[in-house]
Amino acid sequence: MARYKRNGDSSEAVYDAAKNWRNTCLLANGAVFIADLQLWTAELFDELDERFVQNLDMGEGDFLERLEVQLSDGSPRCKQLMAELYWLLLLFASRISKSKKRRDVSLIWSWSGEELPESSAMLSDAILGGIGNTGTAFNTHRWRELVFAINAMREFKSKSPEEKQRLSSSPWDFALWLSSVKDGEKRQFRHILTHLIFPDDFERTSTVRDKHAILEAFGDAPPKDVRNLDLVEIDKSLKDLRRGLEEERGSPIDFYEEGLIEQWRHSPGDDLPPGDDLPSLNFASRSLNTILYGPPGTGKTYETARRAVLICDGGDASAKREDVMKRYGELCQERRIEFVTFHQSYSYEEFIEGLRPETGNEDGDPEAVQSAGFRLVARPGVLKRIAERARQRPAGANKQADYTDKQIFKVSLGRAWYPEDEDIRTEAYEKGLVSLGYGGKIDWSDPKFDTHSAIYERWRQEPGEEEATSHNPNIKMLNQLRNNMRPGDIVIASKGTKRVHAVGVVTGQYWFDSSAWHPHRRDVEWRWQTDDENGIEVEDIHTGNFVSQTIHQLSHEKINWPNLLAYLEPVTTDAPHPPHVLIIDEINRANISKVLGELITLLEEDKRAGAANQLTVTLPYSGDRFTLPANLHIVGTMNTADRSIALLDTALRRRFRFEELPPKPEVLSEIVVEDIDLGSVLEAINKRLEWYLGADHLIGHGYFTHVKSLKQLDEVMASKIIPLLREYFHEDLGRVRAILGGGSAFLRREPIPAPPGVDDAYDDQRYRYVDRYLERGQYGRNAYDNLIGSVQLQTG
């Protein structure tokens, strides 16, 4: 059964509380906290709909402050019902502290004019301990869950007593009905409530994402089929899956226990549909680290682009090349794909992080020494940048959102590098606002300050400010906050000039708090906040660094809109972070030990963030704690003509899945130029190369795929194939000539006469080789006939 059991009886207390609620409140009209009180009535839910659901945009401050305003005209019983509904909403959550649950529920109840005794049995530690994780989105979008809960309760209360009894007694009928309520397929409360009422039938998970992942990992259905199931079909499949696994193991299981969770909690994009020309893609994509290897010209570079698009988007693996490359370009612009080429001098400092010389002082950094020279600052390399981005970026973006008529402001919440200003940032994020210290202790709310000139004149009346100019920050910054900023505008909270900590939308007018250190304020709905000290790079959403002004209006032309929209308008609130891909071209050309250093261990999938054996290292230059996220895929390419796999660093070989991309003459089977079969040309060359040098030194079909005429074929042979063969054989043109058939069709051999006075010891015959293309401007059809025919004679 899916019912959660842990040491002690606290989980059973939660289920008992849910059962009591079902009988007392759902089926009847009673109350959770006070016996004989009638709260869960259709009439009171209609009032909640009027006060809350139909009134979502009213109020200022944080969620509970806005909620209090929304319910201010409501009846005392309406407010008490909201307190009990809020209790039910939080009943499942285990990562919200018991004290906070108790405090918030009691606060909402107090708005009714009555106090809720904290000794109430339904507010005990055992009941408020919770049984599962709801995640960040459940907290930041709690109003959406409340709207869904109210809509569901109104619809349920409108049903006949017989229908209520039928639904509450049948898990699948109840789940089907609940999913049909508006937004039922999107809300976590749908999954929470079905488990609370029917814990033996529904899994203890609050997201459809986890349900998909469990079915895909342990079930037999392909991922595409799983994702086409409706919610009830998913829940039934999970129950059947659980029954089978428990019978097989002979004991109850919990999908979130150690040993099981690692088997299904993969990174996003793991299960991708295979393409017709890459049957192993579905299996290969399960590896976060892949190296595509093969000789030159086998399409490794294009395949990395195609693979990256499939990892990021899924979709059609057989899409046209132009469509793949178009989408690849878009993903690069969104910075979900990074491309880097390794070379012999590539270093740790470029790939992970290193010290960079910089001049000036960044936004008051106390560690920066102003001088005419420079300072060394730890800056991230390509791997650290994309790892940070993969860990922070929300899933998807609402591409229908239109902010073309909105202004964008960069704001500094206190001084970036001063710990004593941390309270300013904490207050801003917790209460949903931006605050400004400039402007003194003057309340500028009066409409007479609606213009810059009015603020200018008033500020010059302050003692010592008689000579203040319009550029004085007390005037300029206050005018930006008070007059230029408008509800609906975008605010980007920065740390210094190079990092972003939060993105939000202005929701209210200027207001003044005389008791605050930074008293000048506007309310903001923070759509995204960083979960660490670093945030994201400014360049992820804006071209160039920010300026150091406290409030600065940004140009639309400098905004990377696909990226900014991802933080402003995520499509779903509970989806995992989207996959990111780092492509490393020519991965075998660098000194891997030098480039990766201690981070080579972090590449292992079970050492990634959130994995069973997660490892974190301290970076030497910045001192940051660093781990690789599970949604970062690394795809490398390796040219076997440069170095055999056998010669690769052993530690690297253990941590990557290797996929060979060999030459495919069959790709050229339908390309015939003046009766010359290009597939046969490729096979003829490669058969000789394999005999002389081995399979690592072949040539790929990619050199010939765009050939449409004999002239183009000659150009490819002269400018691409023969120079490559000369490199393979270290300018031994006799061997190159042998590879090309041995005759003079491509390379004409002529003896070099010995110069006068040469010692008899050097009397051996020597030759020069003349490229017939340089000599005549073509090779001609007979050259290819001879090349193909000579191999056929040898193998005939």
Side-chain angles (χ1 to χ4, degrees):
M1 61 179 65
R3 183 187 297 261
Y4 180 48
K5 293 185 178 181
R6 61 183 172 206
N7 293 333
D9 59 355
S10 55
S11 58
E12 282 303 317
V14 175
Y15 291 123
D16 289 341
K19 183 178 180 180
N20 178 73
W21 168 83
R22 170 189 174 275
N23 296 330
T24 305
C25 303
L26 184 65
L27 293 176
N29 295 326
V32 172
F33 300 122
I34 298 178
D36 302 324
L37 188 63
Q38 298 288 294
L39 287 183
W40 289 71
T41 66
E43 294 76 13
L44 286 178
F45 274 109
D46 287 342
E47 186 177 354
L48 274 186
D49 177 72
E50 178 185 354
R51 303 295 178 191
F52 180 77
V53 177
Q54 306 303 327
N55 193 25
L56 288 177
D57 293 333
M58 286 188 62
E60 298 179 346
D62 67 12
F63 173 74
L64 291 181
E65 290 173 349
R66 293 198 302 271
L67 181 60
E68 183 177 11
V69 173
Q70 289 169 292
L71 300 182
S72 59
D73 294 331
S75 67
R77 293 292 178 257
C78 168
K79 296 169 184 176
Q80 291 173 353
L81 175 58
M82 177 58 84
E84 294 200 348
L85 186 63
Y86 202 74
W87 169 88
L88 178 65
L89 193 71
L90 302 185
L91 184 61
F92 178 89
S94 59
R95 293 192 179 180
I96 301 174
S97 69
K98 306 177 189 72
S99 60
K100 179 170 177 55
K101 289 182 182 181
R102 188 178 296 114
R103 183 172 61 249
D104 289 352
V105 170
S106 299
L107 174 64
I108 299 172
W109 186 280
S110 71
W111 300 338
S112 70
E114 301 176 17
E115 295 298 320
L116 180 63
E118 289 193 2
S119 59
S120 169
M122 290 299 175
L123 292 176
S124 68
D125 282 353
I127 289 176
L128 297 185
I131 54 175
N133 180 25
T134 51
T136 303
F138 185 83
N139 299 326
T140 57
H141 293 264
R142 195 166 296 163
W143 66 271
R144 298 181 189 271
E145 304 293 339
L146 277 173
V147 168
F148 169 68
I150 293 170
N151 288 336
M153 290 301 103
R154 290 184 71 214
E155 188 171 321
F156 190 88
K157 293 294 180 179
S158 69
K159 299 183 180 299
S160 66
E162 295 78 12
E163 181 66 5
K164 291 178 185 177
Q165 189 63 47
R166 185 186 70 83
L167 288 177
S168 63
S169 303
S170 170
W172 309 120
D173 288 342
F174 184 85
L176 186 63
W177 163 75
L178 191 57
S179 300
S180 71
V181 177
K182 183 180 179 182
D183 282 340
E185 295 190 351
K186 300 177 183 177
R187 302 273 61 86
Q188 293 188 47
F189 190 63
R190 181 267 177 201
H191 303 282
I192 289 171
L193 192 59
T194 51
H195 177 74
L196 287 174
I197 299 178
F198 304 101
D200 298 329
D201 300 289
F202 295 89
E203 284 304 317
R204 183 181 59 89
T205 178
S206 64
T207 67
V208 69
R209 178 195 67 231
D210 281 2
K211 292 182 177 182
H212 279 158
I214 292 168
L215 282 176
E216 291 167 12
F218 297 102
D220 297 326
K224 182 178 180 181
D225 292 348
V226 170
R227 294 175 188 275
N228 286 333
L229 297 175
D230 63 38
L231 290 182
V232 176
E233 291 172 333
I234 289 171
D235 289 323
K236 287 182 177 180
S237 299
L238 281 169
K239 185 174 182 180
D240 292 339
L241 174 64
R242 170 180 288 279
R243 184 184 296 115
L245 289 175
E246 289 182 340
E247 289 176 358
E248 179 181 323
R249 294 174 179 233
S251 62
I253 63 170
D254 184 346
F255 285 113
Y256 288 90
E257 69 184 7
E258 185 175 353
L260 277 182
I261 190 171
E262 297 85 358
Q263 298 182 46
W264 62 264
R265 183 164 278 178
H266 302 300
S267 65
D270 275 350
D271 296 305
L272 303 173
D276 294 339
D277 57 344
L278 191 62
S280 63
L281 180 59
N282 189 41
F283 173 71
S285 66
R286 291 183 180 273
S287 173
L288 294 175
N289 308 314
T290 304
I291 289 179
L292 308 177
Y293 70 95
T298 53
K300 294 182 293 298
T301 302
Y302 168 70
E303 182 55 33
T304 59
R306 191 179 81 98
R307 186 72 60 93
V309 170
L310 284 172
I311 290 171
C312 289
D313 291 350
D316 184 6
S318 60
K320 294 181 180 178
R321 185 186 183 102
E322 53 267 29
D323 295 333
V324 170
M325 297 311 297
K326 178 182 178 183
R327 179 57 182 150
Y328 175 79
E330 293 171 350
L331 288 166
C332 288
Q333 183 182 2
E334 294 175 19
R335 308 193 79 183
R336 286 178 59 193
I337 297 176
E338 290 270 9
F339 183 96
V340 63
T341 300
F342 277 6
H343 49 78
Q344 288 90 336
S345 60
Y346 204 76
S347 68
Y348 179 97
E349 286 73 17
E350 294 169 282
F351 194 57
I352 312 298
E353 71 168 14
L355 297 177
R356 305 283 191 275
E358 293 189 2
T359 58
N361 190 353
E362 184 186 343
D363 202 21
D365 183 353
E367 301 299 324
V369 179
Q370 290 277 29
S371 70
F374 63 86
R375 58 196 173 98
L376 293 176
V377 179
R379 292 301 180 201
V382 61
L383 178 64
K384 188 181 179 187
R385 289 198 302 269
I386 195 170
E388 290 176 343
R389 199 176 304 135
R391 187 168 50 80
Q392 297 275 10
R393 182 188 175 102
N398 179 3
K399 297 182 179 179
Q400 303 303 316
D402 185 3
Y403 289 89
T404 54
D405 62 338
K406 305 301 181 184
Q407 302 176 101
I408 311 163
F409 292 90
K410 167 263 181 185
V411 297
S412 298
L413 299 172
R415 296 165 297 178
W417 307 100
Y418 285 75
E420 57 265 34
D421 285 3
E422 190 60 37
D423 288 344
I424 298 172
R425 290 181 280 276
T426 300
E427 179 192 37
Y429 297 141
E430 288 185 352
K431 293 186 176 180
L433 54 84
V434 293
S435 60
L436 181 68
Y438 289 119
K441 290 292 185 177
I442 303 170
D443 185 352
W444 302 90
S445 301
D446 196 300
K448 67 183 180 181
F449 298 119
D450 283 353
T451 64
H452 178 275
S453 59
I455 295 174
Y456 171 77
E457 294 297 335
R458 172 63 184 85
W459 183 256
R460 284 165 60 93
Q461 296 174 20
E462 290 293 291
E465 298 294 340
E466 296 81 2
E467 302 300 323
T469 69
S470 61
H471 294 290
N472 185 300
N474 291 287
I475 300 170
K476 186 175 181 179
M477 296 301 104
L478 182 69
N479 185 63
Q480 289 276 45
L481 180 76
R482 166 71 172 76
N483 296 326
N484 293 347
M485 198 177 284
R486 301 189 299 266
D489 287 345
I490 300 168
V491 288
I492 301 172
S494 68
K495 180 180 181 181
T497 61
K498 295 181 173 66
R499 312 293 296 184
V500 173
H501 267 201
V503 176
V505 174
V506 178
T507 58
Q509 302 294 339
Y510 165 88
W511 58 285
F512 179 74
D513 183 352
S514 59
S515 64
W517 184 13
H518 280 204
H520 310 292
R521 300 170 171 229
R522 271 186 185 265
D523 290 323
V524 169
E525 178 190 352
W526 295 111
R527 302 284 181 84
W528 170 82
Q529 299 173 41
T530 181
D531 57 7
D532 61 18
E533 294 181 358
N534 292 324
I536 60 173
E537 289 187 298
V538 165
E539 291 184 358
D540 282 357
I541 59 177
H542 178 267
T543 302
N545 294 334
F546 289 147
V547 300
S548 296
Q549 295 177 4
T550 303
I551 303 178
H552 177 71
Q553 187 170 346
L554 304 176
S555 167
H556 275 243
E557 287 69 31
K558 289 191 174 183
I559 296 297
N560 185 327
W561 282 104
N563 279 9
L564 182 57
L565 284 176
Y567 294 95
L568 274 175
E569 297 285 346
V571 170
T572 57
T573 59
D574 62 348
H577 297 292
H580 286 61
V581 182
L582 175 60
I583 298 174
I584 306 176
D585 198 28
E586 307 282 4
I587 193 171
N588 54 320
R589 294 188 64 209
N591 183 331
I592 295 298
S593 299
K594 174 184 174 185
V595 172
L596 288 176
E598 73 279 11
L599 265 66
I600 194 166
T601 303
L602 300 187
L603 290 173
E604 297 179 34
E605 297 185 22
D606 68 334
K607 307 297 190 302
R608 300 287 190 102
N613 301 311
Q614 173 183 325
L615 285 182
T616 304
V617 300
T618 300
L619 298 180
Y621 295 113
S622 65
D624 291 342
R625 300 286 289 166
F626 182 73
T627 188
L628 285 179
N631 61 325
L632 175 58
H633 296 248
I634 299 177
V635 180
T637 69
M638 174 179 161
N639 192 332
T640 55
D642 293 333
R643 183 187 296 181
S644 170
I645 289 177
L647 300 177
L648 274 183
D649 186 292
T650 305
L652 181 72
R653 290 166 58 188
R654 288 201 312 267
R655 290 168 170 86
F656 278 82
R657 170 184 169 80
F658 285 80
E659 294 182 33
E660 183 180 13
L661 296 183
K664 295 182 178 179
E666 62 273 16
V667 172
L668 307 174
S669 60
E670 296 184 5
I671 304 178
V672 178
V673 175
E674 296 190 18
D675 293 331
I676 301 171
D677 182 344
L678 298 191
S680 297
V681 172
L682 180 65
E683 282 189 290
I685 295 173
N686 280 339
K687 283 183 178 179
R688 291 191 173 92
L689 282 173
E690 187 171 9
W691 189 88
Y692 275 100
L693 300 175
D696 286 341
H697 289 76
L698 306 181
I699 62 173
H701 50 276
Y703 290 111
F704 300 99
T705 52
H706 300 294
V707 170
K708 292 181 171 56
S709 66
L710 181 58
K711 180 180 179 181
Q712 289 180 342
L713 179 57
D714 284 345
E715 289 173 351
V716 167
M717 290 295 292
S719 62
K720 300 290 181 65
I721 304 302
I722 291 179
L724 180 61
L725 295 177
R726 294 177 68 150
E727 180 182 333
Y728 280 180
F729 288 100
H730 306 287
E731 298 299 323
D732 185 344
L733 295 183
R735 296 286 184 91
V736 174
R737 184 169 180 261
I739 296 297
L740 296 173
S744 296
F746 290 97
L747 294 178
R748 179 172 59 82
R749 188 178 74 172
E750 59 183 35
I752 302 175
V758 172
D759 191 286
D760 289 344
Y762 298 96
D763 198 27
D764 56 316
Q765 184 64 61
R766 303 195 177 193
Y767 300 93
R768 71 167 58 94
Y769 296 87
V770 180
D771 191 320
R772 300 302 293 267
Y773 186 82
L774 299 178
E775 187 177 51
R776 301 186 307 175
Q778 63 175 0
Y779 295 120
R781 174 180 166 180
N782 289 338
Y784 301 99
D785 289 340
N786 293 337
L787 171 61
I788 297 170
S790 61
V791 172
Q792 292 174 343
L793 286 174
Q794 289 176 344
T795 58

